[in-house]
Amino acid sequence: MTAGRVVSLHRWPVKSLGGERVEALDLDARGAAGDRAHAMFDTFKGAPRRLTARQVPRMLLWSAAYGDVPVPIDDPPAPLLRAPDGRAFAWDEPGLIDALSEDLGRPVTLRRDPTLMQDLPRSVLVTFRASHHAVEEALGRLDHLRWRPNVHVEADAEPFAEDRWEGGLLQIGKAGLRMLHPCERCVIPTRDPLTTEKRPELLRWLHAERRMLFGINARPLGPARIAVGDEVAHYDT
């Protein structure tokens, strides 16, 4: 058995925008309440396309947060968005679409879906401090928010031990999560989440050393709440 604790929790109300650090997250089989419940779309080859920072890195300079209000799993509230210049917009504010379209350089539309819009449906992303430190040892200091995790864990395991946990059970407080598979990364982690400055060497290192994998996807087994400081244990099943 591997033991540890939750060191930070993160929620991303709008896909590819900056998110918020929280003290607790409500989970169910869909993932974390309010996580990626909102997204922007543009038009690509005549069809709607869910827009991400792969196409528009400047999206990372916008942020979204629910703040201190409750975030029900079935009906997350409208987030507050903050532009790079500090302006704040409610999700349903009339001027938001124009501000986003002007700043991002393309017309956008907004969509809300309480069933969530993760790249991998019905999942959360778990990352481990030892694995992140191993990347830093190779490349220098990196903000762990580059990985856009939901749950960041400190555990008594060697770096990248989570690669071998597919199919196992991760117990976080009273919540059980089924470990799915390591997360295959795209170019987004190469961008600094605060400046969008690109570090292409990170992508090259992931390709050469990690088969493009970092972190592990997990699926909550049922409704539960997890919190910073919760004990974490991994069990093979």
Side-chain angles (χ1 to χ4, degrees):
M1 183 187 79
T2 299
R5 65 181 181 90
V6 175
V7 291
S8 62
L9 295 169
H10 306 272
R11 181 168 54 209
W12 312 90
V14 181
K15 187 170 179 62
S16 269
L17 269 57
E20 57 184 343
R21 184 166 178 161
V22 296
E23 292 301 309
L25 281 176
D26 289 318
L27 307 177
D28 73 359
R30 289 165 290 188
D35 184 58
R36 297 165 171 94
H38 305 80
M40 283 185 279
F41 284 71
D42 69 353
T43 300
F44 182 68
K45 295 184 178 180
R49 173 181 63 173
R50 191 166 61 189
L51 197 61
T52 75
R54 286 189 293 271
Q55 294 86 35
V56 187
R58 189 168 174 82
M59 291 175 69
L60 297 172
L61 299 182
W62 285 74
S63 64
Y66 298 115
D68 296 331
V69 302
V71 182
I73 289 178
D74 292 322
D75 188 23
L80 183 73
L81 275 63
R82 194 165 296 279
D85 62 8
R87 290 177 296 163
F89 298 88
W91 178 255
D92 52 2
E93 188 171 331
L96 175 59
I97 290 178
D98 288 342
L100 286 166
S101 298
E102 180 179 0
D103 188 69
L104 302 180
R106 65 187 66 202
V108 301
T109 59
L110 306 180
R111 187 175 301 180
R112 176 182 183 275
D113 186 352
T115 63
L116 310 184
M117 291 180 275
Q118 311 101 318
D119 287 337
L120 179 67
R122 301 173 56 233
S123 70
V124 296
L125 178 63
V126 185
T127 58
F128 291 82
R129 182 172 278 180
S131 301
H132 178 72
H133 286 172
V135 181
E136 289 188 314
E137 287 178 4
L139 298 176
R141 184 165 178 79
L142 297 165
D143 189 331
H144 85 279
L145 294 182
R146 287 175 180 265
W147 310 115
R148 300 180 71 82
N150 297 115
V151 185
H152 193 50
V153 173
E154 182 174 49
D156 58 356
E158 64 186 16
F160 311 116
E162 62 272 18
D163 289 358
R164 304 187 295 273
W165 293 354
E166 187 170 340
L169 176 70
L170 194 69
Q171 190 73 32
I172 304 178
K174 296 181 179 180
L177 295 86
R178 181 67 60 198
M179 308 302 278
L180 300 177
H181 50 73
C183 183
E184 184 173 356
R185 310 310 303 215
C186 64
V187 300
I188 290 178
T190 66
R191 298 282 183 177
D192 186 294
L194 298 180
T195 68
T196 75
E197 181 181 356
K198 191 173 183 180
R199 290 189 62 176
E201 69 271 21
L202 175 55
L203 198 67
R204 291 194 293 267
W205 187 89
L206 288 172
H207 183 269
E209 303 293 336
R210 297 285 308 134
R211 295 176 292 121
M212 296 298 293
L213 303 176
F214 187 89
I216 188 163
N217 298 299
R219 182 159 293 150
L221 298 180
R225 168 168 280 211
I226 60 175
V228 173
D230 276 354
E231 294 183 355
V232 176
H234 167 258
Y235 303 91
D236 292 317
T237 58

